[in-house]
Amino acid sequence: KNEVEQSPQNLTAQEGEFITINCSYSVGISALHWLQQHPGGGIVSLFMLSSGKKKHGRLIATINIQEKHSSLHITASHPRDSAVYICAVSSPGGGADGLTFGKGTHLIIQP
Amino acid sequence: NAGVTQTPKFQVLKTGQSMTLQCAQDMNHEYMSWYRQDPGMGLRLIHYSVGAGITDQGEVPNGYNVSRSTTEDFPLRLLSAAPSQTSVYFCASSWDRGPREQYFGPGTRLTVT
């Protein structure tokens, strides 16, 4: 079973700061997902990637398959970015056995 | 499209009661799954389905049943609720069993007293 570790667990930053959240996993994967969960809210998919880098607005996700590591970056952070960010991985056999999730990073952006 | 819908949003049960959490999607997705989210833990897979009529167990299936009679619906049944089943439950769907973008429902917060 894949082990997914996220760091940091909690992060408080000031508006405008550059944010980095890290994710590492223990065995090979077919894809890595970054998800966002607002307090009391549902879960939204931000990125799915299997190599390289993806960008959407102020969010950037990178993955290094050889090092089994991914990062989520937020540029020019804003209080509305406050949420729990969750890393999840899909097994090489496909999604039949679901995703394996990290415990999440609780991000607070202060004005 | 409504996406993935779940009902109810909140539910309180007494130990031993049974209930069904409803999940539906209107995207014609083949793959559907149920997860539970507990404090300090990552989401964990309860059951999943790769298509109508096909279901299988995930990581934490005990105390739960599922069925998939249509592509759209994937209900989760609690047979005899226990306090250990107090959790937030999320239903998710994706196009197929491959590594695909996942679409999550809004969640059901269940308390068992």
Side-chain angles (χ1 to χ4, degrees):
Chain A
K1 186 180 186 301
N2 223 326
E3 300 292 330
V4 179
E5 298 288 337
Q6 286 186 238
S7 63
Q9 289 185 0
N10 299 283
L11 178 57
T12 299
Q14 296 298 311
E15 183 174 357
E17 286 189 36
F18 182 81
I19 303 299
T20 295
I21 299 170
N22 296 299
C23 175
S24 61
Y25 51 93
S26 58
V27 298
I29 62 172
S30 55
L32 184 141
H33 306 254
W34 282 104
L35 310 166
Q36 181 190 57
Q37 184 176 25
H38 282 284
I43 299 170
V44 175
S45 176
L46 297 175
F47 295 103
M48 187 186 77
L49 63 167
S50 56
S51 65
K53 176 180 175 177
K54 287 191 176 181
K55 183 176 189 290
H56 185 255
R58 295 179 295 105
L59 273 59
I60 304 165
T62 64
I63 188 168
N64 185 317
I65 295 295
Q66 286 72 31
E67 295 187 4
K68 297 186 177 63
H69 180 268
S70 175
S71 294
L72 177 68
H73 305 287
I74 305 175
T75 62
S77 59
H78 189 276
R80 65 175 175 266
D81 297 324
S82 298
V84 176
Y85 292 85
I86 302 169
C87 172
V89 297
S90 297
S91 67
D97 57 350
L99 301 175
T100 303
F101 294 80
K103 294 180 181 179
T105 294
H106 188 195
L107 174 66
I108 298 173
I109 304 296
Q110 295 178 335
Chain B
N1 287 352
V4 181
T5 59
Q6 287 183 239
T7 56
K9 284 194 178 339
F10 302 94
Q11 183 70 49
V12 179
L13 290 178
K14 294 189 187 314
T15 297
Q17 288 184 317
S18 63
M19 79 158 296
T20 299
L21 306 185
Q22 301 291 344
C23 174
Q25 51 89 13
D26 61 358
M27 297 173 281
N28 204 31
H29 284 171
E30 289 296 322
Y31 183 82
M32 296 185 73
S33 52
W34 277 102
Y35 296 92
R36 59 178 289 172
Q37 184 178 41
D38 300 297
M41 303 184 74
L43 281 83
R44 293 179 292 168
L45 181 66
I46 304 171
H47 284 284
Y48 66 93
S49 169
V50 298
I54 306 169
T55 64
D56 207 344
Q57 297 181 351
E59 181 184 356
V60 288
N62 291 343
Y64 307 95
N65 272 359
V66 292
S67 60
R68 184 98 180 268
S69 57
T70 67
T71 298
E72 294 78 20
D73 299 299
F74 191 43
L76 178 73
R77 298 183 187 84
L78 280 70
L79 308 172
S80 178
S84 61
Q85 294 178 304
T86 294
S87 187
V88 182
Y89 292 85
F90 288 95
C91 178
S93 74
S94 62
W95 184 247
D96 61 21
R97 63 191 297 160
R100 305 290 187 195
E101 181 177 359
Q102 300 288 311
Y103 294 81
F104 289 84
T108 295
R109 185 174 294 273
L110 175 68
T111 302
V112 183
T113 61

